[in-house]
Amino acid sequence: MLGLELVVVLGAAVLLGNALGQRFGVAPPVVLLFVGALIGLVPAIRQTQLPPEVVLLLFLPVLLYWESLTTSMREIRSNLRGIVLLSTVLVILTAGAVAVAGHALGLPWGPAWVLGAAVAPTDATAVGALAGSLPRREVTVLRAESLVNDGTALVIYGLAVGITVGEEHLTLPHVGALFLLAYGGGAAVGLAVAWVNMNLRRRLDDPLLGNLVMILAPFTAYLLAELIHASGVLAVVVSGLIMAQVAPSLIRAEHRRQALAFWPLATFIINGALFVLVGVELQYAFRHLSRSDLRHVLIAVGVVSVVLVLVRFAFLFSSAYLIRLIDRRPQQRLRRISHRARTVSGFAGFRGAVSLAVALSVPESVDSGAPFPDRAFIVFVTSGVIVVTLVVQGLLLPGVVRWARLPRDTSVDEEQVLAETKATEEAVKALPELAARLGTTPKVTEWLRQEYEAHLATVRAKGAGTDEDPALLHNRHYTDLRLALIAHKRATVVRLRDEQRIDDTVLRRLQTALDYEEMRLAGREQVE
């Protein structure tokens, strides 16, 4: 019964945290952490521990897959070098710096590297939730970095744990083979899963079956990669990025509409639940430490948090100057960003669910049967670092963004106007030929031509930024009148149901059609 109660409590906590965050203008993840810490005071909740593999397998693939599907591949290609450096070199340097700090605080080298691997990777879900106010290029680089760097961190973690428990040996060929297997094997599995996904989607007409394949894809990619000891994270990401490229021409409209109704809600709930669980875990880790150790671990949380920020800033600035020194091509100069933008990226290195799952994955004992050294210390410090990065950096980031005065990114709006204009122009141009091929009557053809030309005039006026253009005014009146008529039709249908002249089944069928029409008009109004 506790499982059902936990689901209800988590759902209510996500609802409360997001509502409070919107009400007081605080990033919802920050509020969710505090809500989770309060829930952790309840003994029944505090004693309920999710196995780390549940976090990694049940939550992470869904979130990573949706992030991959909604990330700009063009921006990834144009910023590939920076993304690769951030997701590999920076992770290794960060893990090493934290390991040195942990060893200075009294940890043996093995557990110190475990701690470094746990807190080294940034978190895609935290970045998506807290960095939405940044320009598109910065958000894309941050998201892509956090999608890939988990693989690097997990290899370091596996080595550190293996050496500590006595299962691994540290040699350069062995480490190289592990990284090759993690990245090469993960990419190969992701490619294979995407290929199967594409072929199944071509053959399935039922939207329910097609979207079931979509739901199974990230879990399948993750499991298959883990079976061969490759990076499940990278397998999910590669599969999602490939599907993002082929889906627009492969997946049918009814499949896509159903997916867009399911995935945003599912990822919203899972993402919120993860932040709540981080708060709960902090309570759990806190109670497993003696009072004499509490001051020590609080100092460690502060030291590790400072190390993370300093290493990230040092790498962002030093790598930029190094690249400028080595690569003097004109196109490289176009990619340069200001120091203010780089400072914003430095503050956006949030930690989240992956770090927590890695810390919880630390085994209870070593091969000799002795307890794993300082496991509770690692879990608490990791939880504390997650809280510090989300709360402190999350609260500071909006102010840093305002200080940076980054130029407003209008490229998405401009490209949308370009795409709508070009698509509508070519549709109008093709209209006579298509009408002749289909045998459409001249009256219908002319009616459709007038509708498309009115739409084209509205898009052009919107692109020109003339809010008082007659075409925009006409579109507003048209949309308002259509929405009013839909509301009147809906009220009529409901009255007929209340008068028992039609059945509820008929009401639901007609209401669905009216809802689609209303959503189309509302979406059109928002775009135009």
Side-chain angles (χ1 to χ4, degrees):
M1 187 62 183
L2 185 58
L4 179 58
E5 293 169 350
L6 183 62
V7 169
V8 174
V9 169
L10 283 177
V14 171
L15 176 62
L16 177 64
N18 280 276
L20 290 175
Q22 294 175 8
R23 173 67 178 82
F24 295 104
V26 180
V30 176
V31 183
L32 290 170
L33 284 173
F34 286 106
V35 172
L38 292 175
I39 292 175
L41 295 173
V42 180
I45 300 296
R46 186 173 62 245
Q47 294 170 5
T48 303
Q49 287 291 297
L50 286 178
E53 58 269 17
V54 172
V55 178
L56 287 173
L57 178 59
L58 185 61
F59 290 168
L60 198 59
V62 175
L63 297 173
L64 290 176
Y65 195 64
W66 182 245
E67 289 286 334
S68 303
L69 289 173
T70 54
T71 296
S72 169
M73 179 62 82
R74 186 184 68 180
E75 290 292 331
I76 290 178
R77 283 195 295 264
S78 63
N79 297 282
L80 183 60
R81 179 171 57 191
I83 292 169
V84 170
L85 290 174
L86 289 170
S87 58
T88 54
V89 179
L90 177 57
V91 173
I92 296 172
L93 292 176
T94 303
V98 172
V100 171
H103 186 65
L105 291 169
L107 286 178
W109 277 113
W113 273 99
V114 172
L115 176 62
V119 299
T122 54
D123 185 69
T125 59
V127 168
L130 293 168
S133 59
L134 300 180
R136 180 176 61 167
R137 178 182 177 183
E138 279 75 12
V139 173
T140 301
V141 172
L142 289 169
R143 291 174 67 185
E145 172 199 354
S146 57
L147 286 172
V148 180
N149 60 16
D150 299 331
T152 306
L154 290 173
V155 171
I156 299 172
Y157 164 79
L159 275 171
V161 170
I163 292 171
T164 303
V165 302
E167 296 176 351
E168 291 281 3
H169 58 284
L170 185 62
T171 63
L172 187 60
H174 181 60
V175 174
L178 287 177
F179 273 97
L180 181 62
L181 177 60
Y183 282 95
V189 170
L191 181 64
V193 171
W195 182 82
V196 174
N197 194 350
M198 287 186 289
N199 283 277
L200 287 174
R201 298 306 292 270
R202 286 194 185 99
R203 290 166 172 77
L204 293 174
D205 296 327
D206 189 340
L208 293 173
L209 296 179
N211 281 296
L212 178 58
V213 172
M214 184 179 182
I215 294 172
L216 290 174
F219 298 107
T220 304
Y222 192 93
L223 280 174
L224 290 177
E226 290 296 316
L227 285 176
I228 63 171
H229 303 289
S231 171
V233 169
L234 192 63
V236 173
V237 171
V238 169
S239 177
L241 290 175
I242 293 173
M243 289 305 299
Q245 297 303 298
V246 303
S249 57
L250 177 68
I251 297 178
R252 302 176 185 180
E254 58 270 26
H255 293 228
R256 187 161 45 246
R257 187 178 64 223
Q258 191 178 90
L260 288 175
F262 166 77
W263 280 88
L265 177 61
T267 53
F268 170 78
I269 295 173
I270 292 173
N271 197 16
L274 279 176
F275 289 118
V276 174
L277 289 172
V278 171
V280 173
E281 186 58 38
L282 189 63
Q283 280 274 356
Y284 178 81
F286 178 82
R287 292 179 178 275
H288 279 69
L289 289 169
S290 63
R291 292 187 177 182
S292 60
D293 292 333
L294 184 57
R295 181 180 178 184
H296 186 213
V297 295
L298 289 176
I299 293 173
V301 168
V303 170
V304 171
S305 299
V306 171
V307 168
L308 292 178
V309 174
L310 291 179
V311 171
R312 184 172 182 85
F313 270 91
F315 182 83
L316 287 173
F317 282 88
S318 61
S319 62
Y321 285 112
L322 182 61
I323 290 173
R324 290 181 186 182
L325 183 65
I326 296 174
D327 190 351
R328 297 182 175 273
R329 294 176 300 166
Q331 55 266 40
Q332 167 58 31
R333 295 179 181 177
L334 298 176
R335 298 194 188 105
R336 292 179 181 176
I337 62 175
S338 67
H339 290 326
R340 287 176 178 259
R342 199 168 285 112
T343 300
V344 171
S345 298
F347 273 97
F350 306 108
R351 270 62 183 178
V354 174
S355 295
L356 179 64
V358 169
L360 293 176
S361 300
V362 177
E364 298 283 348
S365 60
V366 298
D367 283 353
S368 63
F372 192 97
D374 299 292
R375 185 182 187 276
F377 182 92
I378 293 171
V379 173
F380 185 90
V381 172
T382 302
S383 303
V385 167
I386 293 170
V387 172
V388 169
T389 59
L390 291 178
V391 174
V392 178
Q393 292 178 224
L395 292 176
L396 288 176
L397 184 61
V400 175
V401 172
R402 289 192 296 270
W403 164 83
R405 296 194 300 273
L406 300 177
R408 183 172 175 268
D409 189 354
T410 60
S411 58
V412 172
D413 296 332
E414 293 169 358
E415 291 176 8
Q416 181 173 327
V417 170
L418 170 66
E420 281 203 80
T421 303
K422 192 67 175 176
T424 308
E425 286 175 346
E426 295 196 4
V428 171
K429 184 178 179 180
L431 180 60
E433 179 185 347
L434 294 174
R437 186 192 308 168
L438 296 172
T440 308
T441 62
K443 185 175 182 180
V444 172
T445 304
E446 178 60 21
W447 173 75
L448 200 55
R449 184 189 64 79
Q450 291 178 2
E451 182 179 340
Y452 268 63
E453 288 185 347
H455 175 70
L456 182 59
T458 304
V459 174
R460 286 172 174 166
K462 186 66 175 178
T466 53
D467 292 337
E468 299 304 321
D469 189 279
L472 285 177
L473 185 62
H474 170 80
N475 180 70
R476 259 185 238 115
H477 290 169
Y478 172 83
T479 301
D480 291 343
L481 183 57
R482 286 288 300 271
L483 289 173
L485 288 171
I486 290 171
H488 192 79
K489 289 172 68 176
R490 184 180 287 113
T492 302
V493 174
V494 172
R495 190 190 75 240
L496 291 174
R497 190 280 310 270
D498 294 342
E499 295 173 352
Q500 298 187 2
R501 296 171 63 183
I502 64 172
D503 187 63
D504 288 288
T505 304
V506 178
L507 168 65
R508 286 192 293 269
R509 185 177 298 176
L510 294 176
Q511 196 168 40
T512 299
L514 292 172
D515 288 345
Y516 284 147
E517 187 178 0
E518 180 180 347
M519 290 167 60
R520 182 181 64 83
L521 287 169
R524 175 180 175 181
E525 186 180 37
Q526 182 181 4
V527 170
E528 296 179 0

